[in-house]
Amino acid sequence: MTKSLRTTLLSGAVVLGVAGVIAGARGALVFGQEPASAQAEVFRIPVQGVIERGLAPFVARSLREAHRAGARAAILDIETPGGRVDAAQYIVDAIKDSPVPVYAYINRRAFSAGALIALATQEIWMRPGSVIGAVTPVTGEGQKAPEKIVSAMRSEMRALAEDRGLDPRIAEAMVDEDVVIEGVVEQGKLLTLTTEEAVELGYAQEVEDWDALLGRLELEGAAVQDTRVNWAESIVRFLTHPAVAPLLLSIGMLGVIIEIKTPAFGLAGLTGMGALALFFGGHWLVGLAGLEELLLLAAGLGLLAVEAFVLPGFGIAGIAGLVAVGSSFYLSMVSSLSTVADLNLAAGVLALAGIVVVVAGWALIRAIPGSGRFARSGLLLQDATATEDGYRSSVARAELMGAVGEAVTDLRPSGTVQVGEDLIDVVAESSFISAGTSVRVLRYDGASYVVRAVQPASE
């Protein structure tokens, strides 16, 4: 089996392997990992930790399983400092579409996106000492988002409150400190409610613990199914983590750079292709990356290939290719529901990946020619020749010294001269000698013969 055939088969195996993992993960995200208990009447779904895009498919899948199992209720066990608003809105939509009644059990705190999710359920139950609120969207620097984003979030919270027959001003005050409610919140203060305050305002009911909650919902003694994150959701949350995404991008682009600098497709290309596939696959599974981003990436790589192998220098095609590749990466990390903080986070991931690629790429390009492995492979020229070591590109012919010939081409100052039956490459001593002029060979300078025009004899 030839080396090229082995490389082709290995490339195909990598592509099929990554595609298989992504397809399997897609199936696990939709259908789950383990069948729900046939006797389960209540599904307990944890909404804990930072809310990010990997959590949303888990909650949606759990609600589908609750419906398939014929559950009487699904309860979100909430303990979160908040997170991505677009992920929270994804969960809100899943709650609204669920045929199974969904309740929120605030187990200590439901800040920001957690409050948005809780307000979408049919009823909010809070343990003593718990809190809910502080929903103001912020930028990546921790500052309040622009009014456009705040207005959208304010409207979202107001609509959820109105749908449940609650005072919408309370929900708005959780988003905007400019909302004033006499006896509840003053100007310039963002509303966050304790359990007692939420009960007093009709936003929640107090319950001692989980068992007491089941009793209040008339589900005492019901079989409870605790849903767990399956392997696919764990992979998705890992691949879309802000610390992992730039690493995958960096490895992918470095693999492409190394592959361009080497003459055959090999390990670097396989690694880069696999890393990019994992990056886009993970973001595709959470609904961020789509066909448009993949087409944009393909177009960008195509333009870079044209710039590298067809067009000289670096011009419009190269710049357009870089813009297309960067745009595909950026768009695959944001959505139409992303806040300013989400947009800034995506820009930060892309910038970090760019810095890693530039620094590591420069180091690798400098290191590859001196690598012992590459030196032994014979792929790169390792030795240099110099005049000081006695090297000559050609050997001077003594019989041509002083010989007279005729310029076959214009010498500007280099060109061709015919001496006898020989055509030799020469350089004119003067700046220009026209074709047809008689010339004399003066010397040999190590690269070419130097000639001078022969002056015609005076009459």
Side-chain angles (χ1 to χ4, degrees):
M1 182 181 296
T2 64
K3 184 177 180 180
S4 60
L5 180 57
R6 288 198 301 271
T7 302
T8 301
L9 292 177
L10 183 58
S11 303
V14 170
V15 173
L16 291 176
V18 173
V21 170
I22 293 174
R26 180 65 174 175
L29 287 175
V30 174
F31 301 109
Q33 188 177 23
E34 299 176 356
S37 171
Q39 293 77 34
E41 297 179 275
V42 177
F43 271 63
R44 183 175 185 171
I45 305 171
V47 180
Q48 300 174 351
V50 176
I51 295 173
E52 31 75 27
R53 291 289 300 191
L55 178 66
F58 161 68
V59 175
R61 189 261 301 172
S62 298
L63 291 175
R64 288 194 297 269
E65 287 186 356
H67 174 55
R68 288 199 298 267
R72 295 166 59 189
I75 302 176
L76 305 183
D77 191 344
I78 301 176
E79 158 62 329
T80 176
R84 291 188 63 138
V85 175
D86 54 356
Q89 290 174 315
Y90 186 109
I91 295 174
V92 167
D93 291 342
I95 293 172
K96 290 180 176 179
D97 294 339
S98 175
V100 178
V102 183
Y103 303 94
Y105 173 51
I106 300 179
N107 191 4
R108 297 302 182 212
R109 55 192 62 82
F111 290 127
S112 188
L116 178 67
I117 293 171
L119 196 56
T121 63
Q122 292 192 6
E123 292 179 351
I124 299 176
W125 298 83
M126 299 177 66
R127 285 184 58 181
S130 298
V131 289
I132 181 174
V135 193
T136 296
V138 297
T139 64
E141 294 76 27
Q143 303 298 318
K144 183 179 178 180
E147 174 58 27
K148 179 179 179 180
I149 303 298
V150 174
S151 175
M153 180 60 69
R154 192 167 54 231
S155 299
E156 183 93 12
M157 291 286 287
R158 182 176 64 246
L160 291 174
E162 291 174 344
D163 187 54
R164 288 188 51 205
L166 302 174
D167 185 351
R169 296 180 303 156
I170 301 295
E172 291 183 87
M174 293 182 181
V175 180
D176 192 351
E177 64 269 20
D178 292 332
V179 177
V180 178
I181 303 176
E182 187 175 353
V184 178
V185 62
E186 59 187 39
Q187 175 75 29
K189 300 292 185 180
L190 195 64
L191 182 60
T192 300
L193 300 175
T194 65
T195 299
E196 292 76 11
E197 292 170 338
V199 172
E200 183 180 350
L201 293 170
Y203 259 67
Q205 300 180 62
E206 184 175 355
V207 65
E208 287 296 324
D209 53 27
W210 175 262
D211 292 333
L213 173 61
L214 293 181
R216 296 284 296 275
L217 292 176
E218 300 181 355
L219 295 170
E220 190 172 8
V224 178
Q225 168 103 13
D226 288 309
T227 59
R228 298 191 299 266
V229 175
N230 62 28
W231 67 270
E233 288 150 353
S234 297
I235 290 177
V236 168
R237 296 184 75 170
F238 174 77
L239 294 178
T240 56
H241 193 279
V244 176
L247 181 62
L248 291 175
L249 283 181
S250 302
I251 293 174
M253 293 309 298
L254 283 174
V256 172
I257 291 173
I258 295 174
E259 207 54 53
I260 291 175
K261 297 292 292 184
T262 53
F265 188 81
L267 181 61
L270 290 175
T271 303
M273 186 168 57
L276 291 178
L278 289 174
F279 173 84
F280 279 97
H283 286 78
W284 172 69
L285 289 173
V286 297
L288 289 177
L291 181 60
E292 298 84 356
E293 287 76 18
L294 291 177
L295 291 176
L296 192 59
L297 174 65
L301 293 177
L303 288 170
L304 290 176
V306 169
E307 189 68 35
F309 301 112
V310 179
L311 302 176
F314 190 82
I316 296 178
I319 295 174
L322 289 176
V323 171
V325 170
S327 298
S328 69
F329 291 155
Y330 183 77
L331 292 175
S332 67
M333 292 183 281
V334 300
S335 70
S336 59
L337 301 177
S338 296
T339 64
V340 174
D342 299 331
L343 299 178
N344 290 342
L345 178 61
V349 168
L350 186 59
L352 179 59
I355 293 172
V356 172
V357 168
V358 171
V359 174
W362 176 81
L364 284 173
I365 290 173
R366 286 179 59 87
I368 284 176
S371 168
R373 181 179 297 273
F374 277 87
R376 290 189 297 271
S377 69
L379 295 176
L380 299 176
L381 180 64
Q382 300 295 316
D383 300 322
T385 54
T387 303
E388 293 78 5
D389 298 326
Y391 172 77
R392 294 291 186 272
S393 60
S394 62
V395 179
R397 296 169 56 186
E399 69 274 15
L400 294 179
M401 302 304 168
V404 176
E406 182 178 309
V408 177
T409 64
D410 291 336
L411 307 185
R412 302 174 178 271
S414 62
T416 303
V417 168
Q418 182 166 8
V419 179
E421 296 181 355
D422 297 322
L423 290 174
I424 60 174
D425 294 326
V426 301
V427 175
E429 189 179 42
S430 58
S431 60
F432 174 79
I433 298 177
S434 61
T437 303
S438 296
V439 296
R440 185 184 303 277
V441 179
L442 301 179
R443 61 183 182 277
Y444 181 74
D445 67 358
S448 59
Y449 295 92
V450 179
V451 298
R452 177 189 299 166
V454 176
Q455 298 299 327
S458 58
E459 297 180 359

